[in-house]
Amino acid sequence: MRARDYLPVWAHDWIDVIVPGAQIVGILLAAWLLQYLVRRLLLRMAAHYQLPITMVQPIRNLVRWIVMGSAVLLAMERLGVSATVLWTGFTGFVAVAAVAFFAAWSVLSNLFCALLIFTVRPFRLDDTIELLDSGDKPGVKGRVVDINLVYTTLQDAHPESQGALLQIPNSLFFQKTLRRWRAPEPAFPSLSALMTSAPAQADAVPTPPGEPPKAS
């Protein structure tokens, strides 16, 4: 059965427009659905690994451009553009992207190492860390005050420059030995202390203003 058999007679003259148009609409809908699913997956991963929005947003933008670019290429093919022309344009784009990738390798390595820092957790905010140059030779040491996509900021702990801020590329933390002192965990009251203090607060009788507290 051909598509012409499912269309009314008046639409037979428009079948060369209706079929490609329906295919293009289907391609765009599939691209939108794929982009939506990938975005939901990235948001779930960001919530699970506690990734900052500044790291998730570039990945979302990259996925969106890849999906929409592929959808545009497929739509152009449905419109009759030669596959050879599309393939030539695609390979040229990949070649330019590869050159740009190697030119910006240092920046991209820092981005990838930032992702590893947030997932593997070699250190966290408020930890004190030290990068050892070779063996036990002391190196850069300070308290972690900020972590972004390119570098990590430390508050210098050396006496001669205490309080100064050091910005270290994220890739260096995976190239040298790292010494870490964990930040103290925030103190929370225990469950037993909360349970024993709650009845005492409930049994306490409020003292009227101006009167001395009654002895129990």
Side-chain angles (χ1 to χ4, degrees), residues 75-83:
M76 292 177 63
E77 184 180 4
R78 294 294 91 192
L79 291 176
V81 180
S82 174

PDB file of all heavy atoms in Angstrom, residues 75-83:
ATOM      1  N   ALA A  75      16.634  16.753   7.824  1.00  0.00           N
ATOM      2  CA  ALA A  75      15.550  17.490   7.163  1.00  0.00           C
ATOM      3  C   ALA A  75      15.982  17.983   5.782  1.00  0.00           C
ATOM      4  O   ALA A  75      15.197  17.934   4.819  1.00  0.00           O
ATOM      5  CB  ALA A  75      15.116  18.658   8.044  1.00  0.00           C
ATOM      6  N   MET A  76      17.204  18.441   5.660  1.00  0.00           N
ATOM      7  CA  MET A  76      17.696  18.892   4.354  1.00  0.00           C
ATOM      8  C   MET A  76      17.777  17.739   3.370  1.00  0.00           C
ATOM      9  O   MET A  76      17.512  17.910   2.171  1.00  0.00           O
ATOM     10  CB  MET A  76      19.066  19.555   4.526  1.00  0.00           C
ATOM     11  CG  MET A  76      19.038  20.871   5.286  1.00  0.00           C
ATOM     12  SD  MET A  76      20.696  21.558   5.538  1.00  0.00           S
ATOM     13  CE  MET A  76      21.194  21.854   3.840  1.00  0.00           C
ATOM     14  N   GLU A  77      18.118  16.553   3.876  1.00  0.00           N
ATOM     15  CA  GLU A  77      18.136  15.394   2.992  1.00  0.00           C
ATOM     16  C   GLU A  77      16.735  15.064   2.496  1.00  0.00           C
ATOM     17  O   GLU A  77      16.544  14.679   1.334  1.00  0.00           O
ATOM     18  CB  GLU A  77      18.738  14.201   3.716  1.00  0.00           C
ATOM     19  CG  GLU A  77      18.895  12.970   2.840  1.00  0.00           C
ATOM     20  CD  GLU A  77      19.494  11.800   3.596  1.00  0.00           C
ATOM     21  OE1 GLU A  77      19.715  11.951   4.820  1.00  0.00           O
ATOM     22  OE2 GLU A  77      19.728  10.759   2.976  1.00  0.00           O
ATOM     23  N   ARG A  78      15.725  15.223   3.351  1.00  0.00           N
ATOM     24  CA  ARG A  78      14.346  14.977   2.939  1.00  0.00           C
ATOM     25  C   ARG A  78      13.893  15.999   1.896  1.00  0.00           C
ATOM     26  O   ARG A  78      13.001  15.696   1.076  1.00  0.00           O
ATOM     27  CB  ARG A  78      13.413  15.045   4.140  1.00  0.00           C
ATOM     28  CG  ARG A  78      13.595  13.950   5.190  1.00  0.00           C
ATOM     29  CD  ARG A  78      13.232  12.583   4.626  1.00  0.00           C
ATOM     30  NE  ARG A  78      14.395  11.912   4.031  1.00  0.00           N
ATOM     31  CZ  ARG A  78      14.315  10.842   3.288  1.00  0.00           C
ATOM     32  NH1 ARG A  78      13.137  10.329   2.974  1.00  0.00           N
ATOM     33  NH2 ARG A  78      15.414  10.275   2.803  1.00  0.00           N
ATOM     34  N   LEU A  79      14.497  17.201   1.930  1.00  0.00           N
ATOM     35  CA  LEU A  79      14.122  18.232   0.962  1.00  0.00           C
ATOM     36  C   LEU A  79      14.818  18.060  -0.379  1.00  0.00           C
ATOM     37  O   LEU A  79      14.576  18.839  -1.304  1.00  0.00           O
ATOM     38  CB  LEU A  79      14.447  19.620   1.530  1.00  0.00           C
ATOM     39  CG  LEU A  79      13.576  20.064   2.717  1.00  0.00           C
ATOM     40  CD1 LEU A  79      14.059  21.407   3.256  1.00  0.00           C
ATOM     41  CD2 LEU A  79      12.112  20.162   2.310  1.00  0.00           C
ATOM     42  N   GLY A  80      15.701  17.057  -0.465  1.00  0.00           N
ATOM     43  CA  GLY A  80      16.338  16.768  -1.743  1.00  0.00           C
ATOM     44  C   GLY A  80      17.772  17.209  -1.860  1.00  0.00           C
ATOM     45  O   GLY A  80      18.362  17.105  -2.951  1.00  0.00           O
ATOM     46  N   VAL A  81      18.364  17.713  -0.772  1.00  0.00           N
ATOM     47  CA  VAL A  81      19.771  18.102  -0.832  1.00  0.00           C
ATOM     48  C   VAL A  81      20.619  16.844  -0.960  1.00  0.00           C
ATOM     49  O   VAL A  81      20.359  15.835  -0.304  1.00  0.00           O
ATOM     50  CB  VAL A  81      20.157  18.907   0.427  1.00  0.00           C
ATOM     51  CG1 VAL A  81      21.625  19.312   0.381  1.00  0.00           C
ATOM     52  CG2 VAL A  81      19.273  20.143   0.545  1.00  0.00           C
ATOM     53  N   SER A  82      21.629  16.895  -1.788  1.00  0.00           N
ATOM     54  CA  SER A  82      22.454  15.725  -2.065  1.00  0.00           C
ATOM     55  C   SER A  82      23.153  15.247  -0.791  1.00  0.00           C
ATOM     56  O   SER A  82      23.674  16.037   0.001  1.00  0.00           O
ATOM     57  CB  SER A  82      23.501  16.055  -3.135  1.00  0.00           C
ATOM     58  OG  SER A  82      24.394  14.975  -3.306  1.00  0.00           O
ATOM     59  N   ALA A  83      23.183  13.925  -0.610  1.00  0.00           N
ATOM     60  CA  ALA A  83      23.869  13.350   0.545  1.00  0.00           C
ATOM     61  C   ALA A  83      25.370  13.604   0.476  1.00  0.00           C
ATOM     62  O   ALA A  83      26.026  13.748   1.513  1.00  0.00           O
ATOM     63  CB  ALA A  83      23.588  11.850   0.610  1.00  0.00           C
TER      64      ALA A  83
END
